Every structure is written in C-alpha cells, then in structure tokens.
C-alpha cells in the first residue's frame, strides 16, 4: 500500500463522512463463526473525538465524487474541493487492520453518487461481500443505501450488512425540495419500505429455519438534519414518529446543521451549530422509545418547539402538574418513569427494592435518582413533600437555580441569536 | 474486634467467611497480606486460603444468589479496594443471614454499596474492552498493554477470545505485571520478564506495517473531529487522561 496516497485518501474521505451522525454499532448479534475475525454484539465506542462524539466504526465515504448538488453537503458537485476514491481492496484492508488492532467495531460506509445509484451501490455491496465471504469478518457493517438503488442490490446488501440506512436529510418534503432539488423523497422512502418488508419476511423465515441467512439484523436507521431549514421540533418529531411506527426504524438520528457552505438558502456560515436543540431532540426521542411517551405529549400546537432551558420530560411534568405527586412506593413503573430526575435504571431499582420495604428520601438518593428534581413530583416513606402549592414556574425556577446544566450558558447565547 | 488477614484472593475471602461462621466472630476487620506488625493490639488471625472451605462457602452462596449475583460479587472483589472488603464481607453475611434472596434489596446499605462497586468495576472492564490497542508483532501476535485502576484482566478474557479467535494476542497489565495470552486455542495467564528484554528490541519486533496503521488511525481520529462542535469537557469525561498513554490517537 502506498502510505502517502492512502493517508491522503483517508483524510479526505473520513473528513467528508463525519457529518453523518450515526455511529451505533449495537443491535446485531453476529457471532464469530468458524474461528473467523470479530463479532458484532454490544456496540463499543473505541474512542471519542475532541467534540465528544463516540467513534465506534470506521466511517468513510467510498468516494466524494458526486453527480448531485445538495446545498447542505460538502461533497456537492459545485463545491471546489479535493476529490478521492477508495478502491474496494483499500477499504477492505483498512477495515480489517483497524479491527484487528481493536480500533473499531466495524465499518460505516457511505458514498457520493458517482455515475448513478446502482453503479455506486454495487461497489458498496461488493466491499461488504468481500469482508464477509473472503475474510470471514463478523464485525459490524453499516451501509448507507443510495437512494434510487435497485431492489436486487438492496436485497444483496441486506445479506452482508448489519444495518442499512437511507438518510431523509430534511425533516419535510418541502425542506428537501428547497435544498436538494434533484433528490426526491420517493427515492428515499421506496427502499425503506422495501427493507422493512424484507426484514419482516426474513425474520419470519429465520424463526422457522434456523439456518436462514440473517438480513440486516440491526435493522434500518435514518438521519434528519435540523436547523438548515425552518421546520419546528413538532414537525421533526412527528416525522421521526411516523418512521418509527410505519417503517420499524431502529433509530432516527438528529444532526444539528454544521454550516460548511455559503448558500443563500442556508443559515450563514457563522451560525453556531444548534447543539442544545439537537440534544433536546435526542431526549425527546428517548422519551418516545424508552419511557412510553406519545409524540403529542412532548410537542403540540401550543408547544411546537422543545424548551431549550429544560429537558422535555421536565417540560411535560410542569405542564401536567395534576398528574403528580406520584407515590413511589405504590405507583406503576410506567408512572415512575415519568418523574423528572428518575431514569430507566433507577425506576427499575425502585420497583425491585420496594418489595423489601418502603423507601424514603435517603434510600431514593442512594438508588441514584436526582432528588433535587424529583422531590417536587413524588411522595415516599416520609412526611416531607416539597411541592406544597408551588406553581410550575416556581418549580422550574427552583430546579434551574440548583442545577448547573452544562447547557444553560450555551442556551442563552443561542437564544440571543434567534 | 478481630482482624483477619488473608491473601487478597477471592478464594481467600471465601475462606475468611468460613472462619467467621465457624468461630462465630461478630466484629471483624479484613486486611490483605501477611501479619508483620507487632503494633496490632486486637485479636489477629492469619487466614490460610483453603480451597475446600472456600468451595463450601461458594456453594452456599450459589444456593442463595442467582448466577448473575455471584458473578457480581466476584467482580466487586476484583475492585481490590481494601477499604471496601468490609462492605463485601457485610454483603456476604447479609446474604447468608437472610432467609431469602436479597440481591435486589437496594434499600440495604451492603446491597447498594456492592452494586456501586460493581458498577465502577464494570465500567472499567468496559473501558478496557474499548481502549485496548493492539500492535502487531513480527510473529503475528497482537500485543497490548493496559494499566487499569481495578484488576479487570480476568474479566476480559471471554470478550477478546470471542472477538479475536483467528489471531494470537496478549493483553498485559503492566501495573500488576501479569498478562493474558491467547494462542489460537487456549487462554492463559502469563508473566513476562521485562528486565531481560531491551526495549528497542521490542519496538523493532513490530510488524512492518504497524506504524502505518497507527498513523492512519491517528489521521482518522483527526479527520473525524468537527471543530465547530468542540467540547473538551465531554471529551475528557469519556477518555480520562490516565488512559491516554496507551492510545495511539492521543499520543
Ligand atoms: S447526493 Fe449525497 S453526496 Fe451527493 S451532494 Fe447530495 S448529499 Fe452530498
């Protein structure tokens, strides 16, 4: 391998791929078969970039040549940048050698569209196939499907990849029309529908015949960019909800728009990345996936945007004070999960522990709940109950004054910007 | 108050438990190592690890704890925090004295403390699974050094064996001076004698492409960063500084 050339390619093609926020490498159960290399099971982050994001996969583009011209993308045709392309063998070598050194959990491979969708997709599939069949590689493979690729290629991709994703990019069709006029939503949704049906079909087969090949065992995910177009959080979360419900997506990723290109359809280059908003969207997403919240409970007509200064669960609790206080020693797990300051693990611990005796504040604190927040919303084995007759605004003030949220400072500067 | 001195091994700890019940001791204190000091005025018992006795205690624990619960107890012991030995002992006594399985009784201070210790040990085990960085030697063995706070090497074998079944590897704890070696078939604890090995020999013993892949990894690490999102605090929380000297991307 020519060290200089491969280094340059890696720099260019990793740099161009970094805006894709997906990095998960969990959700698959690929075992190491026949003394091969690797397994894909628990999703380990092997390092963290200086911006604090997890690195678990070698995330690269096959090439940053692209026939399209999407406004938000560094690889767009009209952007004057250095271009490069890996060969199939180069990607395979990098993956194997990084994996053997325990740098990564596997490969996340995406690509600019060169020539046409199928031509590009065919190469992505060829890399995955080579890794699996020639190198007995059982690490994680995530392929970004190229919108418009044929069903046959998608089907083959599913045989070798753990996860497939088609990025929606913009939360709404209008947003997409504005910034990526050559793309159309149908081309994105069509393969998602195909994959969904295929995954269901293959899972059924698998339950009947153990030997049936796994098909995209970690399912499919997508990404939406927020802050490039004017959609509200309500629109973003409804889109996410729609895809969770109708396409069985495993994850929706929210990517705060990083201004990389000057274009009058886009926020100016000096606009800061909406980190707090992105974080709130992830919190809201967790509420939908793990805490039993409906999307309508999190955002509605009166509250189309998530609060930037408090998290969405606290926001919901303050709007629904009539649901509280909850008796920690009696309430259902589902209700306990709705208390601000109590996470999934603490909620489960509470439910286990209270079989042995009623819990008081001291024990709750030790179990790991944030008593500072939770105390306004629960009663326990103690006569003390903090809320008295406080109104929602007062509770919010108390909580905010006590918590040193890492976001408060950034939140105010961001608020000033809008 | 009786001070019990044991060798610091899990079997040793279980032997201690046996003695406590046999001698009906009430107030006890644990200490690792051998009895050297004349300055101890309390009762002191030097406990010799006895696999038969340890085995009987282990069976007793097995009948009162789930398999997972027993695993957790073992992990907590690997924390090797001397001041916590008493807590672990307290936990074992609570398990034996209670008429039913109490491993989820988080209202109890021993159960809760044990779960905290286990959490920190597991966090470090998990970090080691993430931060082990192999280098390929000329004989195609992949070699890595670690310096974990807790003695987690015994917990790492399965993970790396499942993952790297087709390559020989060694993970070496340079703080405790012992390692784990996989030879394509079996897993063994080993000790290396570094005093006879000239460090420059070790470097030249790396496979030819080793530095290329380390450099590529460093480059990749840089390229993947988005400066506009810089967040040093978060970065440091995820990769505490004490691990850096073993991570090529942080050198
Ligand atoms: S098609 Fe993909 S790579 Fe090409 S410009 Fe659009 S987003 Fe970028």
């Amino acid at each position: 391998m020519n060290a200089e050339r491969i280094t340059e390619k890696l720099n260019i093609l990793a740099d161009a791929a970094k805006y894709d926020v997906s990095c998960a490498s969990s959700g698959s159960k690929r075992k190491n078969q026949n003394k091969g290399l690797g397994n894909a099971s628990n999703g380990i982050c092997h390092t963290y970039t200086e911006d604090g994001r997890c690195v678990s996969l070698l995330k690269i583009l096959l090439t940053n040549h692209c026939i399209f011209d999407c406004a938000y993308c560094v690889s767009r045709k009209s952007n004057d940048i250095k271009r490069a392309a890996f060969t199939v063998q180069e990607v395979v070598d990098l993956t194997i050698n990084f994996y053997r050194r325990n740098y990564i959990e596997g490969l996340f491979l995406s690509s600019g569209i060169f020539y046409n969708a199928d031509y590009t997709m065919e190469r992505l599939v060829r890399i995955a196939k080579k890794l699996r069949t020639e190198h007995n590689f059982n690490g994680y493979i995530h392929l970004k499907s190229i919108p418009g690729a044929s069903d046959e290629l998608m089907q083959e991709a599913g045989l070798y990849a753990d996860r497939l994703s088609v990025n929606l990019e913009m939360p709404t069709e209008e947003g997409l029309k504005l910034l990526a006029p050559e793309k159309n939503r149908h081309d994105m949704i069509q393969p998602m529908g195909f994959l969904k049906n295929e995954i269901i079909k293959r899972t059924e087969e698998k339950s009947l015949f153990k030997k049936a090949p796994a098909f995209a065992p970690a399912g499919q995910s997508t990404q939406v960019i927020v802050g490039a177009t004017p959609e509200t959080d309500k629109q973003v979360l409804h889109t996410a909800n729609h895809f969770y419900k109708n396409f069985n997506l495993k994850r929706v990723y929210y990517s705060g728009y990083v201004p990389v290109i000057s274009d009058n359809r886009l926020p100016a280059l000096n606009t800061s990345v909406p980190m707090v908003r992105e974080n709130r969207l992830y919190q809201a997403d967790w509420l939908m996936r793990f805490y039993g919240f409906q999307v309508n409970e999190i955002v509605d007509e009166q509250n189309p945007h998530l609060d930037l200064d408090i998290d969405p669960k606290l926001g919901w609790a303050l709007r629904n004070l009539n649901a509280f206080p909850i008796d920690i020693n009696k309430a259902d797990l589902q209700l306990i999960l709705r208390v601000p300051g109590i996470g999934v693990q603490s909620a489960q611990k509470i439910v286990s522990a209270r079989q042995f005796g009623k819990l008081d504040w001291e024990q709750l604190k030790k179990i790991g709940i944030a008593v500072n927040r939770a105390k306004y919303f629960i009663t326990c084995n103690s006569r003390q109950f903090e809320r008295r007759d406080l109104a929602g605004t007062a509770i919010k003030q108390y909580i905010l004054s006590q918590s040193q949220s890492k976001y408060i400072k950034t939140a105010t500067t961001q608020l000033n910007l809008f | 108050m009786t001070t019990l001195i044991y060798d610091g091994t899990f079997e040793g700890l279980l032997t201690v438990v046996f003695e406590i019940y046999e001698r009906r001791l009430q107030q006890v204190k644990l200490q690792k190592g051998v009895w050297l000091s004349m300055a101890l005025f309390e009762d002191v018992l030097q406990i010799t690890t006895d696999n038969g006795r340890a085995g009987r205690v282990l069976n007793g624990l097995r009948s009162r704890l789930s398999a997972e619960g027993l695993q957790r107890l073992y992990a907590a012991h690997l924390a090797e925090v001397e001041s916590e030995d008493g807590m672990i002992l307290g936990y074992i006594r609570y398990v034996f004295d209670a008429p039913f399985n109490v491993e989820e009784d988080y209202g109890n201070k021993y159960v809760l403390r044990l779960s905290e210790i286990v959490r920190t040990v597991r966090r470090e085990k998990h970090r080691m699974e993430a931060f082990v960085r192999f280098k390929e030697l000329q004989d195609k063995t992949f070699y890595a050094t670690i310096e974990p706070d807790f003695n987690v090497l015994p917990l790492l074998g399965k993970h790396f064996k499942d993952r790297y079944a087709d390559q020989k590897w060694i993970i070496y704890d340079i703080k405790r001076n012992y390692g784990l070696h996989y030879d394509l078939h079996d897993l063994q604890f080993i000790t290396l004698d570094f005093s006879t090995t000239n460090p420059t020999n070790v470097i030249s013993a790396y496979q030819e492409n080793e530095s290329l892949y380390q450099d590529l990894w460093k480059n990749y690490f840089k390229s993947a960063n988005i400066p506009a999102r810089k967040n040093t605090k978060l970065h440091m929380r995820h990769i505490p500084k004490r691990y850096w000297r073993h991570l090529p991307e942080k050198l």
Side-chain angles (χ1 to χ4, degrees):
Chain A
M1 224 190 293
N2 177 334
E4 224 168 279
R5 186 70 193 117
I6 193 79
T7 306
E8 190 187 16
K9 282 187 189 181
L10 183 62
N11 290 351
I12 294 172
L13 295 169
D15 188 86
K18 70 187 174 191
Y19 299 100
D20 207 302
V21 287
S22 157
C23 104
S25 56
S26 52
S28 200
K29 282 199 207 82
R30 205 173 282 275
K31 292 227 169 68
N32 189 334
Q33 282 155 343
N34 306 324
K35 283 215 161 205
L37 172 63
N39 54 9
S41 48
N42 31 14
I44 296 173
C45 303
H46 285 274
T47 194
Y48 294 84
T49 54
E50 281 166 16
D51 53 61
R53 285 169 313 131
C54 145
V55 178
S56 108
L57 301 171
L58 170 63
K59 193 192 293 180
I60 47 175
L61 298 187
L62 177 61
T63 178
N64 64 342
H65 290 283
C66 191
I67 54 174
F68 282 175
D69 207 30
C70 310
Y72 47 82
C73 175
V74 275
S75 302
R76 65 188 286 194
K77 185 173 62 186
S78 62
N79 201 16
D80 183 18
I81 48 163
K82 266 200 176 163
R83 307 279 170 175
F86 280 124
T87 65
V88 169
Q89 192 59 45
E90 282 167 344
V91 176
V92 169
D93 284 343
L94 274 175
T95 308
I96 297 283
N97 277 290
F98 276 16
Y99 194 90
R100 287 199 181 284
R101 286 165 177 74
N102 205 37
Y103 298 163
I104 52 168
E105 290 291 287
L107 174 67
F108 177 116
L109 188 61
S110 168
S111 184
I113 300 170
F114 58 120
Y115 201 49
N116 63 40
D118 272 357
Y119 186 88
T120 313
M121 190 69 200
E122 193 264 332
R123 269 162 184 71
L124 301 185
V125 171
R126 218 194 300 159
I127 288 169
K129 181 175 181 179
K130 199 162 184 157
L131 281 166
R132 296 282 190 232
T133 57
E134 288 177 30
H135 294 267
N136 199 358
F137 176 71
N138 306 293
Y140 195 88
I141 300 179
H142 180 158
L143 294 183
K144 179 102 94 53
S145 322
I146 305 300
S150 70
D151 288 357
E152 291 74 41
L153 279 169
M154 294 302 287
Q155 192 155 27
E156 219 192 334
L159 291 178
Y160 304 118
D162 293 282
R163 173 170 283 181
L164 294 161
S165 62
V166 188
N167 284 359
L168 285 169
E169 309 292 17
M170 294 303 138
T172 56
E173 195 159 357
E174 299 72 57
L176 190 71
K177 274 232 171 67
L178 178 71
L179 297 184
E182 300 144 306
K183 277 188 174 168
N184 73 64
R185 204 142 170 110
H186 173 81
D187 279 353
M188 299 172 169
I189 292 174
Q190 200 273 335
M192 286 169 122
F194 174 78
L195 284 174
K196 176 199 153 190
N197 293 332
E198 203 68 5
I199 289 170
I200 294 175
K201 202 170 92 195
R202 300 299 185 112
T203 315
E204 280 166 4
E205 267 172 34
K206 190 108 181 116
S207 64
L208 290 175
F209 314 103
K210 268 210 125 67
K211 287 240 171 69
F215 187 88
Q220 56 171 333
S221 64
T222 193
Q223 162 174 313
V224 294
I225 298 172
V226 292
T229 39
E231 285 97 349
T232 61
D233 291 336
K234 177 167 175 262
Q235 285 171 297
V236 175
L237 288 172
H238 272 277
T239 297
N241 187 53
H242 172 79
F243 282 90
Y244 279 132
K245 294 256 147 76
N246 299 311
F247 292 85
N248 297 349
L249 285 208
K250 281 280 154 50
R251 284 295 300 272
V252 173
Y253 291 92
Y254 308 89
S255 166
Y257 175 68
V258 181
V260 280
I261 283 164
S262 130
D263 185 305
N264 56 17
R265 291 167 290 175
L266 286 167
L269 272 180
N270 55 7
T271 315
S272 62
V273 183
M275 308 261 276
V276 184
R277 182 177 179 202
E278 180 189 289
N279 184 263
R280 296 290 179 232
L281 283 166
Y282 278 112
Q283 289 173 326
D285 190 270
W286 277 74
L287 293 184
M288 299 197 292
R289 288 186 301 137
F290 301 114
Y291 287 78
F293 279 83
Q294 299 297 319
V295 62
N296 298 321
E297 298 180 285
I298 303 169
V299 276
D300 55 30
E301 280 309 321
Q302 283 81 49
N303 307 279
H305 277 290
L306 297 167
D307 267 322
L308 290 181
D309 55 352
I310 54 172
D311 69 78
K313 191 156 118 179
L314 180 57
W316 175 82
L318 293 177
R319 292 196 301 275
N320 293 276
L321 281 178
N322 57 326
F324 299 98
I326 284 170
D327 182 349
I328 256 345
N329 288 305
K330 294 210 186 98
D332 287 347
L333 180 66
Q334 279 309 316
L335 274 179
I336 295 179
L337 283 170
R338 294 193 162 224
V339 177
I342 301 186
V344 174
Q345 282 189 0
S346 320
Q348 276 158 352
K349 272 193 178 163
I350 289 170
V351 173
S352 300
R354 69 187 184 186
Q355 301 167 46
F356 298 89
K358 290 191 166 179
L359 302 170
D360 59 26
W361 292 113
E362 214 32 53
Q363 289 162 316
L364 287 174
K365 200 180 270 170
K366 290 213 176 114
I367 278 174
I369 78 167
V371 172
N372 270 350
R373 312 174 138 233
K375 67 182 175 188
Y376 302 101
F377 304 99
I378 57 176
T379 57
C380 61
N381 196 24
S382 151
R383 297 169 58 94
Q384 215 178 328
F385 169 54
E386 282 290 336
R387 194 171 90 213
R388 299 174 300 254
D389 284 316
L390 293 178
T393 45
I395 296 176
K396 179 171 161 180
Q397 280 319 313
Y398 281 126
I399 291 180
L400 281 182
S401 68
Q402 281 176 2
S403 65
Q404 320 107 325
S405 162
K406 54 183 189 281
Y407 285 112
I408 287 180
K409 255 173 75 198
T410 22
T412 43
T413 52
Q414 283 212 345
L415 285 173
N416 292 342
L417 278 175
F418 286 106
Chain B
M1 172 75 78
T2 313
T3 302
L4 299 163
I5 303 182
Y6 80 115
D7 63 1
T9 63
F10 193 56
E11 292 77 9
L13 182 74
L14 297 179
T15 311
V16 165
V17 175
F18 187 92
E19 296 281 346
I20 289 174
Y21 277 89
E22 194 173 66
R23 295 169 191 256
R24 297 177 200 284
L25 301 176
Q26 289 305 322
Q27 299 280 39
V28 297
K29 217 174 99 191
L30 281 191
Q31 199 178 312
K32 281 180 190 141
V34 281
W35 184 23
L36 297 170
S37 170
M38 308 293 284
L40 292 168
F41 296 111
E42 312 107 300
D43 290 340
V44 177
L45 278 178
Q46 174 84 48
I47 305 294
T48 317
T49 299
D50 177 323
N51 282 338
R53 294 180 163 188
R56 282 171 62 185
V57 175
L58 190 63
N59 280 337
L61 286 170
R62 250 191 214 122
S63 66
R64 285 173 169 80
L65 293 172
S66 68
E68 159 73 10
L70 194 61
Q71 189 60 42
R72 290 158 55 84
L73 184 62
Y74 175 62
H77 178 259
L78 288 179
E80 290 183 330
V81 183
E82 198 147 350
S83 55
E84 297 288 1
D85 274 351
M87 270 296 173
I88 295 173
L89 194 59
Y91 177 84
I92 296 178
R93 292 175 82 164
Y94 182 49
V95 168
F96 276 119
D97 296 349
F100 43 80
N101 182 329
V102 291
E103 67 190 61
E104 293 198 334
D105 181 6
Y106 297 106
N108 174 277
K109 69 171 180 183
Y110 294 115
V111 178
L112 193 67
R113 185 67 197 137
L114 189 99
S115 80
E116 284 163 9
I117 301 173
V118 170
R119 191 160 3 118
T120 53
V121 172
R122 292 226 167 127
R123 183 168 58 202
E124 188 156 53
K125 166 188 181 271
H126 189 74
R127 277 178 168 158
M128 284 302 121
E129 288 168 0
F131 297 154
V132 157
R133 294 282 183 269
F134 288 113
K135 295 172 182 167
E136 192 178 6
L137 304 176
Q138 269 170 10
D139 74 347
K140 294 201 182 323
T141 300
F142 285 77
Y143 176 73
T145 51
I146 58 172
E147 282 175 282
D149 287 348
F150 306 124
N151 182 19
V152 293
L153 192 57
L155 301 175
L156 297 178
K158 186 180 177 333
H159 172 82
F160 284 100
K161 190 179 169 203
D162 285 350
R163 175 160 299 208
Y164 298 111
D166 73 339
Q167 73 190 38
K168 290 182 279 181
W169 52 261
I170 295 171
I171 301 172
Y172 207 80
D173 183 335
I174 54 177
K175 198 152 134 191
R176 296 169 185 81
N177 195 30
Y178 79 115
L180 200 52
H181 177 219
Y182 173 72
D183 62 3
L184 297 181
H185 306 282
D186 297 310
L187 213 47
Q188 264 160 359
F189 288 110
I190 54 164
T191 39
L192 297 176
D193 183 3
F194 286 103
S195 58
T196 57
T197 320
N198 185 333
T200 50
N201 289 344
V202 178
I203 307 297
S204 63
Y206 288 129
Q207 199 259 100
E208 177 191 359
N209 268 333
E210 181 50 41
S211 63
L212 169 64
Y213 285 111
Q214 279 180 43
D215 288 343
L216 286 171
W217 174 240
K218 282 187 216 174
N219 272 302
Y220 176 70
F221 180 74
K222 266 188 236 129
S223 305
N225 183 41
I226 301 178
R229 301 179 58 121
K230 191 174 168 73
N231 188 342
T232 311
K233 243 169 107 186
L234 190 61
H235 176 67
M236 301 282 277
R237 201 172 67 218
H238 284 311
I239 324 186
K241 246 192 166 141
R242 61 181 184 279
Y243 298 114
W244 287 14
R245 48 184 297 221
H246 297 281
L247 301 172
E249 71 271 24
K250 296 304 296 179
L251 286 178

